[in-house]
Amino acid sequence: MEITNVTEYEAIAKEKLPKMVYDYYASGAEDQWTLQENRNAFARILFRPRILIDVSKIDMTTTILGFKISMPIMVAPTAMQKMAHPEGEYATARAASAAGTIMTLSSWATSSVEEVASTGPGIRFFQLYVYKNRKVVEQLVRRAESAGFKAIALTVDTPRLGRRESDIKNRFTLPPYLTLKNFEGLDLGKMDEANDSGLASYVAGQIDRTLSWKDVQWLQTITKMPILVKGVITGEDARIAVQAGAAGIIVSNHGARQLDYVPATISALEEVVKATQGRIPVFLDGGVRRGTDVFKALALGASGIFIGRPVVFSLAAEGEAGVRKVLQMLRDEFELTMALSGCRNLKEITRNHITTEWDTPRPSAPRPSARL
């Protein structure tokens, strides 16, 4: 069967993967309300396309933290990709590089920062969890910087792991033939069997619950890499992030895997964008499955988006070729959405190109004389 959209990879991944692995990638926290809402909220935003504009040339390129990329569609950090496919993060890195976009490597990758760097050129960010042992953190940040990574995406929504009930039922643990490669030499690479979720026990033992805004400033003293704060969903925290010296914000609810009943990221985006007052770029992850979703996020003020689950599902289905195809399909859909909305470059995508349920009714505008 020919795959014609990103979502179709999920069913193939479900067939191919062991239940424990598929459930780990697919599930959300508790009732999974936010997991559904991350998708459903996009469906409540509608287009106001402009017509009779010359759209023979469409430019999707953009610059993120000074790096020019082919499109505002990037790869989010997802853990333990070798559970999906033997090539894991290597395949994802090559696919992102081929697409001319950014890959974010997870702290909990099954390939190390050095291994991913060895796949060849590419702009890569490193997602960081802050461990109780700060020496481990310093060492890891330095290794990422030495390996040529360009930014840190600091995850700030995980002082404890969210309650993911399928992981508890499945007694989720990292398969014995894999390790968390970045921590292998530090005796932190293995995950013990637990009588609930092995990952939840690992987080409880290793991740620092005291993490606070002062640590965002501390990180700036140990690295020259810009720091993106990943996991902001309120205007209040967006303002503090700016004051704390963050280079950018990723509006994220951790793929709906942490606190259930938080809003969809697309619903929280505009509040965060307004709070930053244009001082730092704001990105979004969570629920993006179509080029139309990318356009909606940009219309609400995002500088770009990150995709997570579509990467691991396509990786499970077809390896590197699957990830390449996902990035290409989203690119093609986004380009078509731009053309059909009358936008020739990213600057032309405005708030007026969409309508949301929280918009006040538009006053009827005076009838303009036609400009021909």
Side-chain angles (χ1 to χ4, degrees):
M1 180 192 74
E2 189 189 353
I3 296 216
T4 54
N5 66 67
V6 163
T7 309
E8 287 173 344
Y9 275 116
E10 181 163 357
I12 299 170
K14 188 173 185 177
E15 255 177 58
K16 276 196 158 184
L17 292 171
K19 179 174 163 50
M20 180 188 81
V21 172
Y22 171 79
D23 285 353
Y24 170 72
Y25 292 140
S27 64
E30 296 186 355
D31 298 329
Q32 306 193 115
W33 182 86
T34 298
L35 185 67
Q36 304 304 316
E37 179 66 4
N38 271 353
R39 286 295 307 127
N40 294 342
F42 275 109
R44 299 194 294 270
I45 298 170
L46 303 180
F47 292 121
R48 301 182 68 250
R50 302 302 306 272
I51 52 160
L52 294 175
I53 292 165
D54 175 356
V55 289
S56 56
K57 289 189 180 68
I58 303 276
D59 176 15
M60 288 178 284
T61 61
T62 189
T63 302
I64 305 291
L65 302 180
F67 299 99
K68 192 166 186 191
I69 56 172
S70 66
M71 58 182 174
I73 301 164
M74 298 166 282
V75 174
T78 49
M80 311 178 221
Q81 292 181 12
K82 283 187 180 176
M83 293 195 307
H85 187 275
E87 290 181 13
E89 295 85 0
Y90 288 74
T92 302
R94 290 191 295 257
S97 181
T101 193
I102 291 163
M103 174 199 181
T104 316
L105 183 70
S106 170
S107 274
W108 295 338
T110 38
S111 313
S112 68
V113 288
E114 294 85 3
E115 287 172 334
V116 168
S118 78
T119 61
I123 304 155
R124 303 190 182 103
F125 294 172
F126 181 71
Q127 176 271 334
L128 180 68
Y129 283 117
V130 176
Y131 279 57
K132 290 174 183 172
N133 183 340
R134 293 305 172 91
K135 288 278 178 283
V136 167
V137 178
E138 285 187 48
Q139 196 183 340
L140 192 52
V141 167
R142 294 212 172 96
R143 280 172 57 197
E145 197 161 356
S146 304
F149 284 68
K150 301 302 185 198
I152 293 286
L154 174 68
T155 296
V156 295
D157 57 12
T158 313
R160 298 172 60 173
L161 202 71
R163 187 174 171 84
R164 307 164 190 178
E165 293 179 4
S166 56
D167 288 352
I168 297 168
K169 284 186 170 69
N170 295 331
R171 301 280 186 266
F172 173 80
T173 191
L174 185 63
Y177 58 90
L178 295 174
T179 59
L180 302 180
K181 263 288 164 60
N182 288 315
F183 301 97
E184 199 174 34
L186 302 159
D187 283 340
L188 295 168
K190 282 292 183 192
M191 209 175 286
D192 298 324
E193 296 275 340
N195 43 14
D196 52 5
S197 155
L199 184 63
S201 302
Y202 181 86
V203 168
Q206 301 300 337
I207 301 304
D208 192 347
R209 295 185 188 184
T210 73
L211 192 69
S212 70
W213 287 107
K214 68 179 190 315
D215 297 302
V216 177
Q217 290 161 313
W218 168 73
L219 267 178
Q220 291 165 67
T221 68
I222 66 165
T223 181
K224 292 188 178 70
M225 288 184 286
I227 292 157
L228 302 174
V229 179
K230 176 180 182 286
V232 172
I233 49 176
T234 66
E236 296 92 318
D237 282 336
R239 280 185 281 274
I240 302 171
V242 173
Q243 289 159 7
I249 285 170
I250 303 172
V251 175
S252 173
N253 52 36
H254 209 118
R257 293 157 76 78
Q258 283 300 104
L259 180 62
D260 201 12
Y261 299 99
V262 293
T265 49
I266 195 67
S267 307
L269 175 62
E270 198 165 30
E271 176 185 322
V272 171
V273 168
K274 282 178 174 163
T276 61
Q277 299 180 316
R279 286 184 286 188
I280 56 174
V282 176
F283 307 97
L284 170 138
D285 70 28
V288 175
R289 300 292 179 271
R290 284 276 188 191
T292 47
D293 300 335
V294 180
F295 187 102
K296 289 170 185 181
L298 268 63
L300 286 166
S303 294
I305 65 89
F306 291 86
I307 51 165
R309 287 185 182 90
V311 170
V312 285
F313 291 147
S314 59
L315 182 64
E318 292 175 357
E320 181 184 336
V323 182
R324 282 183 186 234
K325 186 155 186 198
V326 155
L327 289 167
Q328 187 63 48
M329 283 190 291
L330 285 174
R331 180 190 173 87
D332 291 345
E333 288 177 10
F334 178 53
E335 183 175 24
L336 182 60
T337 306
M338 284 178 68
L340 296 180
S341 297
C343 299
R344 294 163 290 201
N345 57 55
L346 304 191
K347 281 192 187 69
E348 291 187 352
I349 301 174
T350 71
R351 184 63 170 79
N352 288 332
H353 285 97
I354 57 162
T355 178
T356 70
E357 55 198 337
W358 60 87
D359 289 339
T360 46
R362 292 169 190 277
S364 53
R367 290 173 65 183
S369 51
R371 283 181 305 155
L372 296 177

